Amino acid sequence: GTFINEARIGAHELKVLQASAKNGYADFKDVYGLEGETPADQRKLSKEDQNSVKIITCAPELDGIMDSIPDLVEAGITVSVGHSMANISQAEEAVRKGATFITHLFNAMPQFHHRDPGVIGLLGSRPDLPRPYYGLICDGIHVHPNSVKIAYDSHPEGVILVTDAMSAMGLAPGNYQLGNMNVTKEEDRVYIEGTDTLAGSVITLDACVRNFMQFTSCTLIEALEAVTLHPAVLLGIQETKGVIKPGADADLVFLSDDLFVKRVFVAGEEVELDSIDVKVTEKF
């Protein structure tokens, strides 16, 4: 957000949405606090500041968004299509303009229709149009296992597994806060209180990997690349992240043979997992 379609708001607060970007890059600059006066200035600052905005989800059908995409890309920001009502023509135009990712495929977008497949249809784009990477919330709740396999079979090189987890992940069922909203966590899912609207997820990333392999019968290498190499390439940081090679950051996760986390290193320093109490709920 916040340049997303009100009709596909998901668990966002309506009052923070931006209905348009009529002033182009200037509107994004104001909302996100970008310090660069021009897109070129922002790209220079982004290379120096790891805390600057790196990726933005937006709905390309909103007024001014489509024409803003090239400037956002020039500013060093990865543009993702999501929380959108875009038809296939609008979605493909967004990719031509520089969008390279789909946020939460199948969620917060029109469902696939054979005459106009919408954003989902980007997985079947013609060879002359680069197919974007796409995020899959692989908890078996946001996306049915069959749908996960359809997406993977269609574009295996583009899959990026995401959790969309909120702060109640690993905690007991009960009532929690998501921003200013009250949410209710059940064993394996979380809803906006009093509704059937999912408010993110409560799955861990290693569980997503296990689910993905089960849903698709992919190889271990393919599953691991979906949480390491693919997101790194999307963000243009594959020289230091998502790879194991000289010069890369020593951020490492050791998994057991059955793909549960055993050890974690951040910048070469081991994290004491015994001090972290996370309840793992297996659904599949």
Side-chain angles (χ1 to χ4, degrees), residues 4-263:
I4 58 177
N5 197 310
E6 180 180 337
R8 287 292 185 266
I9 190 173
H12 293 264
E13 292 187 77
L14 180 61
K15 65 181 181 181
V16 304
L17 298 194
Q18 303 294 316
S20 68
K22 295 180 180 179
N23 299 310
Y25 172 78
D27 285 340
F28 285 88
K29 180 179 181 296
D30 290 342
V31 168
Y32 290 103
L34 304 178
E35 296 182 2
E37 287 299 320
T38 67
D41 291 339
Q42 181 60 32
R43 175 176 284 272
K44 293 177 182 177
L45 291 171
S46 180
K47 290 180 178 179
E48 300 169 357
D49 181 7
Q50 294 301 310
N51 293 319
S52 63
V53 175
K54 304 297 184 185
I55 183 169
I56 290 174
T57 295
C58 53
E61 72 276 11
L62 298 182
D63 188 17
I65 299 295
M66 194 75 77
D67 291 336
S68 301
I69 293 176
D71 283 340
L72 293 172
V73 174
E74 184 182 353
I77 296 171
T78 297
V79 176
S80 181
V81 176
H83 288 273
S84 167
M85 289 294 293
N87 58 37
I88 184 59
S89 296
Q90 293 167 323
E92 290 191 330
E93 181 63 17
V95 172
R96 291 189 190 94
K97 294 280 190 179
T100 53
F101 190 53
I102 303 171
T103 298
H104 302 166
L105 183 71
F106 298 115
N107 288 274
M109 60 186 64
Q111 296 308 292
F112 184 90
H113 191 282
H114 59 286
R115 294 197 180 99
D116 187 341
V119 176
I120 298 169
L122 290 172
L123 271 65
S125 293
R126 301 179 304 276
D128 62 330
L129 187 71
R131 288 186 293 177
Y133 285 98
Y134 57 95
L136 279 175
I137 307 172
C138 206
D139 59 357
I141 299 164
H142 281 79
V143 183
H144 190 279
N146 290 15
S147 299
V148 171
K149 190 173 191 311
I150 288 172
Y152 163 74
D153 287 345
S154 175
H155 186 22
E157 298 85 5
V159 61
I160 292 177
L161 302 182
V162 298
T163 66
D164 196 34
M166 50 85 67
S167 57
M169 184 271 291
L171 302 181
N175 297 320
Y176 296 93
Q177 290 288 125
L178 179 62
N180 293 320
M181 292 182 291
N182 296 321
V183 299
T184 301
K185 182 198 174 187
E186 298 180 1
E187 284 295 332
D188 58 359
R189 63 198 70 194
V190 59
Y191 297 105
I192 296 176
E193 188 178 54
T195 77
D196 59 357
T197 299
L198 290 167
S201 87
V202 289
I203 194 170
T204 59
L205 195 55
D206 58 322
C208 285
V209 170
R210 295 191 295 274
N211 285 347
F212 186 64
M213 291 190 67
Q214 181 177 347
F215 297 167
T216 66
S217 299
C218 72
T219 67
L220 176 59
I221 291 175
E222 288 173 311
L224 294 180
E225 285 187 343
V227 295
T228 55
L229 181 62
H230 292 183
V233 173
L234 169 69
L235 296 172
I237 55 175
Q238 66 270 23
E239 291 303 309
T240 56
K241 301 290 186 182
V243 293
I244 299 176
K245 67 177 186 179
D249 293 341
D251 299 331
L252 306 169
V253 177
F254 289 77
L255 302 175
S256 62
D257 290 342
D258 52 358
L259 302 179
F260 284 83
V261 174
K262 302 300 291 184
R263 301 177 71 184

